[in-house]
């Protein structure tokens, strides 16, 4: 029987300062120690290429783990192999060789260092890099700060927290499609997005 509490070695790598949550372990897959994973990105390339996943317990604490599972998740696991399987990812974990060991990882939140993400193509951005950027329109008027994105299928939509200076008693968000028709420029070094959008939209 696999014991996931022993997966972390004496030379454990430090938790990455640029850690980004990228998925979670749904359950065991098969009987040979593989796990089934939900990726939070529509393109899970970073998760598929990484050979070390950092783990944290679920925030809600409502995890049902097998009787006898270790009290805590290992801080990280080494991945031998991973691939897409339908709408999920399946992965083989080093040191886990049976279903019981894989089940004991159920619910774990998976993090990767941002630095290991594949370089995006020109004009493409990771959501994590857009969150926190200030948004201004062509007149230089502040539109708000990116607090999240919505995936609509054809394209993404920026969710902006409106600036403090703008009357916003109900905490309403401003939504701007993240498409070339409305987005003039994205400057990660300046942490700014310029858009063709009116304050009254």
């Amino acid at each position: 029987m696999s014991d996931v509490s022993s997966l972390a070695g004496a030379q454990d790598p430090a938790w990455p300062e640029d850690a980004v949550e990228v998925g979670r372990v749904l359950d065991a897959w098969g009987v040979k120690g593989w796990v089934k994973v939900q990726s939070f990105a529509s393109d899970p390339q970073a998760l598929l290429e990484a050979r070390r996943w950092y783990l944290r317990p679920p925030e809600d604490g409502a995890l049902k783990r097998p009787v006898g599972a270790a009290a805590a998740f290992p801080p990280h696991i080494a991945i031998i192999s991973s691939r897409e399987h339908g709408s999920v990812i399946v992965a083989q974990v080093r040191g886990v060789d049976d279903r019981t060991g894989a089940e004991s990882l159920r619910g774990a939140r998976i993090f990767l260092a941002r630095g290991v993400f594949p370089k995006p193509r020109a004009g493409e951005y990771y959501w994590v890099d857009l969150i926190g950027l200030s948004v201004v329109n062509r007149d230089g008027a502040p539109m708000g700060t990116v607090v999240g994105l919505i995936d609509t299928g054809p394209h993404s939509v920026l969710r902006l927290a409106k600036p403090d200076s703008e009357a916003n008693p109900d905490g309403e968000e401003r939504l701007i499609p993240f498409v070339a028709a409305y987005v003039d420029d994205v400057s990660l070094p300046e942490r700014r997005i310029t858009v063709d959008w009116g304050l009254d939209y």
Side-chain angles (χ1 to χ4, degrees), residues 15-20 112-116:
W15 183 266
E17 293 183 4
D18 58 348
V20 176
L112 298 179
R114 171 63 184 84
V116 306

Side-chain angles (χ1 to χ4, degrees), residues 25-37 83-85 88-92 98-99 102-103:
V25 178
L26 296 174
D27 208 343
W29 186 75
V31 296
K32 295 185 178 180
W34 287 61
V35 292
K36 181 167 56 175
V37 171
R83 65 176 184 268
E84 292 185 82
H85 182 75
V88 299
I89 289 173
V90 293
Q92 184 181 16
D98 60 22
R99 186 174 182 86
E103 286 176 340

Side-chain angles (χ1 to χ4, degrees), residues 30-110:
V31 296
K32 295 185 178 180
W34 287 61
V35 292
K36 181 167 56 175
V37 171
Q38 174 191 7
S39 171
F40 294 158
S42 57
D43 180 358
Q45 201 59 36
L47 192 56
L48 290 168
E49 292 184 3
R51 287 295 167 256
R52 176 175 284 116
W53 296 351
Y54 295 86
L55 304 183
R56 284 288 187 267
E59 291 179 330
D60 58 15
L63 173 66
K64 293 183 179 179
R65 299 174 72 196
V67 175
F73 293 111
H76 64 89
I77 53 177
I79 303 302
I80 299 172
S81 178
S82 61
R83 65 176 184 268
E84 292 185 82
H85 182 75
S87 61
V88 299
I89 289 173
V90 293
Q92 184 181 16
V93 181
R94 186 177 304 280
V96 177
D97 54 16
D98 60 22
R99 186 174 182 86
T100 301
E103 286 176 340
S104 68
L105 295 171
R106 186 188 302 149
R109 298 157 62 206
I110 303 170

